[in-house]
Amino acid sequence: MKQALHAKLGLYVVATVWAGAMPAYAQAPANTGGIYACTDANGRRITADRPIASCIDREQRVLGNTGVELRRVAPTLTEQERNALDAKRRQEQADQARIREERSRDRAILARYPNQAAHDAARAEATGQVDDVIGVAQQRQVELKERRRKLNTELEFYQNDPKKAPANLRRQLDDNTETQADQQRFIKQQDEEKQRINQRFDAELQQLRKLWSEQPPVAPRSH
């Protein structure tokens, strides 16, 4: 039976001149103790006692003496194909690292905000701090306007010829005008900061609702 199998395999042996084979196969061992089998690009079934040069671009089966498949040999890749495979592996590694990082962030935000009440409290605290700063700036604006009213009262003495007003009075008027403008810009910046805080908490809440829904239900305590 063994002789018959070898005779059958011998029908498909194709003589190959290995001097012209690719370097990867030139360094292959002459005999690895198995029969290599493949179907080449022209549809020919080929067997040999070593890697088959015409099947370098495709998978080859390695058969034992009884015809049982021992293993498979992957195609020998070109430099371009190897570069493409390396790029694919690097991308997969980057994707896996990104997924791990996202899962780590998810765990961190869940630990910080286990429920919506905790998230609402954090939002209120963050926006409340900005409101306190705005409140101080608005009070400063009230004081500046009151100061401006007094300065304008002094300026009334020179309403017929404002150029005769003392230099100190004119300087105080200019400083008051500039300071009020600075305070107004500052209040606007704080309003924009409060808006950014609410946008951040809105985005977090959308993410958290999804994460909360994926959490297993908490078992009721036994009495």
Side-chain angles (χ1 to χ4, degrees):
M1 180 177 178
K2 184 180 298 184
Q3 294 177 349
L5 176 61
H6 281 294
K8 184 177 181 181
L9 292 175
L11 293 175
Y12 299 103
V13 173
V14 174
T16 305
V17 179
W18 287 96
M22 297 183 67
Y25 280 89
Q27 298 176 2
N31 192 322
T32 59
I35 300 297
Y36 288 79
C38 71
T39 301
D40 69 8
N42 296 320
R44 295 178 302 173
R45 294 181 59 191
I46 305 172
T47 59
D49 63 352
R50 65 189 65 202
I52 302 169
S54 58
C55 289
I56 193 172
D57 61 342
R58 62 199 60 228
E59 188 177 63
Q60 301 185 39
R61 300 167 61 210
V62 181
L63 310 176
N65 292 333
T66 60
V68 175
E69 181 178 310
L70 302 178
R71 65 183 185 278
R72 296 197 177 193
V73 177
T76 299
L77 304 178
T78 64
E79 181 178 359
Q80 182 178 2
E81 290 170 335
R82 287 195 299 272
N83 292 337
L85 183 59
D86 289 342
K88 181 180 178 181
R89 288 173 178 168
R90 287 194 297 270
Q91 183 60 49
E92 290 175 349
Q93 292 172 351
D95 291 341
Q96 292 171 0
R98 176 181 52 79
I99 292 172
R100 288 194 298 270
E101 183 178 352
E102 289 176 354
R103 289 175 178 173
S104 178
R105 287 199 302 265
D106 289 345
R107 289 193 296 269
I109 197 171
L110 277 174
R112 185 175 183 183
Y113 305 119
N115 49 54
Q116 185 163 346
H119 192 255
D120 290 345
R123 182 200 293 261
E125 180 181 359
T127 55
Q129 291 175 355
V130 178
D131 287 337
D132 291 342
V133 173
I134 292 175
V136 172
Q138 289 174 337
Q139 180 59 37
R140 176 59 176 158
Q141 279 285 69
V142 171
E143 295 171 357
L144 289 168
K145 289 179 180 179
E146 177 61 22
R147 177 60 179 162
R148 182 56 180 255
R149 187 187 65 79
K150 294 179 179 180
L151 292 172
N152 287 340
T153 300
E154 293 183 34
L155 189 62
E156 289 176 359
F157 292 106
Y158 309 96
Q159 59 183 349
N160 293 330
D161 189 0
K163 293 182 179 180
K164 292 183 178 181
N168 182 53
L169 177 59
R170 294 197 302 268
R171 184 169 58 253
Q172 290 183 68
L173 286 166
D174 291 341
D175 289 345
N176 185 274
T177 299
E178 184 178 349
T179 304
Q180 283 200 56
D182 289 341
Q183 287 296 112
Q184 193 60 40
R185 284 192 294 270
F186 179 75
I187 291 172
K188 182 180 179 181
Q189 290 171 355
Q190 294 305 306
D191 285 333
E192 292 172 350
E193 174 64 15
K194 184 177 178 180
Q195 184 178 359
R196 285 192 293 269
I197 289 173
N198 277 315
Q199 289 173 346
R200 175 170 62 83
F201 274 91
D202 287 342
E204 283 182 351
L205 184 58
Q206 184 176 2
Q207 178 190 6
L208 282 165
R209 282 173 174 163
K210 180 177 181 296
L211 295 174
W212 289 331
S213 67
E214 295 171 352
Q215 296 300 297
V218 179
R221 296 181 179 178
S222 57
H223 296 287

